[in-house]
Amino acid sequence: MFDIKWIRENPEAFDAGLKKRGLAPLSSELIALDEARRAHVTKLQEAQSRRNAASKEIGKAKAAKDEAKAAELMAEVATLKDELAKGEDEERVLDAKLRDALSGIPNLPLDEVPLGKDEHDNVEVRKVGAPTKFDFAPKQHFEIGEGLGLMDFATAAKISGARFVVLKGALARLERAIGAFMLDLHTSEFGYTENIVPLLVKDHAAYGTGNLPKFAEDLFQTVNGFWLIPTAEVSLTNFVRDEILEEAALPMRLTAQTPCFRSEAGSAGRDTRGMIRQHQFTKVELVSITTPEESLAEHERMTGCAEEVLKRLGLPFRTIMLCTGDMGFASRKTYDIEVWLPGENTYREISSCSVCGDFQARRMNARYKPKGAKETRFVHTLNGSGLAVGRTLIAVLENYQQADGTVVIPEALRPYMGGLAVIEKAG
């Protein structure tokens, strides 16, 4: 959400930022909406002032026993009362019109974000580890999982349709182990506080993070006014909704492992086999609430925390900076971490870490009070996957597969697997 005052004062900068996003200029249109709203507010204020003055004059007229004047003034006050009531309704309409226009506009990219139209224009920042080599043709994760008898898409489809899976036995435990490993790492070494959060949220929570109103079709909604979270970012970031924090409490670093639900409305025909793109998946989310001065450094730190998970698991990956045309709606700058998948012979996204500036904070009215200052400021928010658990399981299966169809378990996960070193075919 943007500050209309800032847009009025910086229309060229605002439109230049939109242009980087591939959007047409909007400052003139928004300023016109604001001018109409402001003019109407001024008109209401003048009417209210006249009503107050007329009310005082009624008393004077009655004191002077000028009943005709008093009656005339009372009629004027009644008319002004009706006009104010109608005017307040119109003010609400004008406020909503401006708010709706502002709420559908994506955040402006930082200067260092590369210009581009889509994923082909993203820029690689670093690459860690060489792609895994095999002396046999590596299989994709669903071939491995089905070969082990532990990954069942047919049963899931019978229950829920496409884009669901049933994991069994050692693979079910492996997913649980991966999530537990991530949470332990982030909480014990990186200072994040673990939370169990609601999976169902109200409109205002999804609005606060920018999921509503623009991306309603990407979410699942219940029949009684809840939305299923697409990521724990929605719940965690809204912790600071309508709060005024002390600067000493920042940064806040929060994490949660949750099921996530996405309709994949725009993904028809994409990744239809396997677990890459599902309606329900598990993810460990990282959220930071910071001061404006610290948010960019926090972004680098958060990205490093997510990368460390892959390093500990021995999985090759690369980190890329998304271009202006590929960034998410609320982001000012995003790093995607892509893990190597030998079965596909390519890198696939496993984490996305974004700094959002005060974009979400304005939608949530989340502020802090700088030390020694009288005025409050909006906090900056950041979010990232630390990591997508299902995709990490995919990466483990493909990078640690063996020629006989078994899968070696990375050393870091074995304590969570009861010491099991190899996943073999179900008996």
Side-chain angles (χ1 to χ4, degrees), residues 98-172:
L98 178 60
R99 185 176 62 251
D100 290 348
L102 288 169
S103 66
I105 301 169
N107 208 347
L108 303 184
L110 294 173
D111 290 341
E112 61 261 37
V113 175
L115 294 175
K117 292 182 179 180
D118 53 35
E119 66 272 12
H120 299 103
D121 298 316
N122 295 336
V123 175
E124 185 177 295
V125 176
R126 55 186 162 268
K127 187 178 288 184
V128 176
T132 311
K133 300 295 184 182
F134 298 92
D135 56 7
F136 59 92
K139 296 177 180 178
Q140 294 193 55
H141 70 279
F142 50 85
E143 297 172 307
I144 301 167
E146 289 176 329
L148 291 168
L150 301 175
M151 188 178 290
D152 188 346
F153 296 98
T155 297
K158 182 169 61 176
I159 300 166
S160 302
R163 297 194 187 277
F164 291 92
V165 68
V166 172
L167 297 179
K168 302 177 180 180
L171 284 195

Side-chain angles (χ1 to χ4, degrees), residues 302-330:
M302 175 182 283
T303 304
C305 293
E307 290 176 336
E308 185 62 26
V309 175
L310 295 172
K311 291 177 182 177
R312 300 282 178 100
L313 294 177
L315 296 171
F317 68 91
R318 67 178 184 179
T319 300
I320 62 174
M321 189 188 302
L322 299 193
C323 72
T324 53
D326 199 31
M327 288 167 49
F329 179 78

Side-chain angles (χ1 to χ4, degrees), residues 21 107-111 113 327-334 354-359 380:
R21 284 275 200 171
N107 208 347
L108 303 184
L110 294 173
D111 290 341
V113 175
M327 288 167 49
F329 179 78
S331 176
R332 297 208 72 191
K333 178 182 177 183
T334 297
S354 299
V355 57
C356 302
D358 63 6
F359 186 82
H380 278 201

Side-chain angles (χ1 to χ4, degrees), residues 80-242:
L80 286 168
K81 182 180 178 181
D82 289 341
E83 289 180 359
L84 283 167
K86 293 177 182 176
E88 287 168 358
D89 288 340
E90 186 178 348
E91 181 183 2
R92 282 189 284 271
V93 170
L94 292 170
D95 282 343
K97 194 172 183 180
L98 178 60
R99 185 176 62 251
D100 290 348
L102 288 169
S103 66
I105 301 169
N107 208 347
L108 303 184
L110 294 173
D111 290 341
E112 61 261 37
V113 175
L115 294 175
K117 292 182 179 180
D118 53 35
E119 66 272 12
H120 299 103
D121 298 316
N122 295 336
V123 175
E124 185 177 295
V125 176
R126 55 186 162 268
K127 187 178 288 184
V128 176
T132 311
K133 300 295 184 182
F134 298 92
D135 56 7
F136 59 92
K139 296 177 180 178
Q140 294 193 55
H141 70 279
F142 50 85
E143 297 172 307
I144 301 167
E146 289 176 329
L148 291 168
L150 301 175
M151 188 178 290
D152 188 346
F153 296 98
T155 297
K158 182 169 61 176
I159 300 166
S160 302
R163 297 194 187 277
F164 291 92
V165 68
V166 172
L167 297 179
K168 302 177 180 180
L171 284 195
R173 184 168 186 176
L174 180 60
E175 175 155 318
R176 177 159 54 94
I178 289 169
F181 164 70
M182 292 177 184
L183 286 173
D184 285 352
L185 180 62
H186 294 312
T187 56
S188 66
E189 295 191 33
F190 299 147
Y192 289 87
T193 300
E194 183 178 355
N195 298 270
I196 302 294
V197 299
L199 307 182
L200 298 168
V201 297
K202 291 290 192 178
D203 289 8
H204 62 264
Y207 175 86
T209 48
N211 299 91
L212 290 181
K214 194 173 179 66
F215 302 101
E217 68 170 9
D218 295 326
L219 308 179
F220 286 111
Q221 186 177 22
T222 69
V223 296
N224 56 345
F226 290 99
W227 299 87
L228 278 71
I229 59 169
T231 163
E233 171 203 347
V234 178
S235 300
L236 292 171
T237 308
N238 273 279
F239 279 15
V240 295
R241 179 183 186 83
D242 292 325

Side-chain angles (χ1 to χ4, degrees), residues 359-408:
F359 186 82
Q360 294 176 323
R362 289 182 179 278
R363 298 169 81 103
M364 298 184 300
N365 192 31
R367 294 167 289 163
Y368 77 102
K369 189 175 181 181
K371 185 178 180 180
K374 294 182 179 179
E375 301 294 325
T376 61
R377 300 175 69 189
F378 287 104
V379 298
H380 278 201
T381 62
L382 303 94
N383 63 82
S385 308
L387 307 163
V389 177
R391 291 197 178 189
T392 305
L393 182 143
I394 289 169
V396 169
L397 292 182
E398 293 200 9
N399 283 277
Y400 284 90
Q401 63 181 295
Q402 301 188 102
D404 62 359
T406 60
V407 177
V408 175

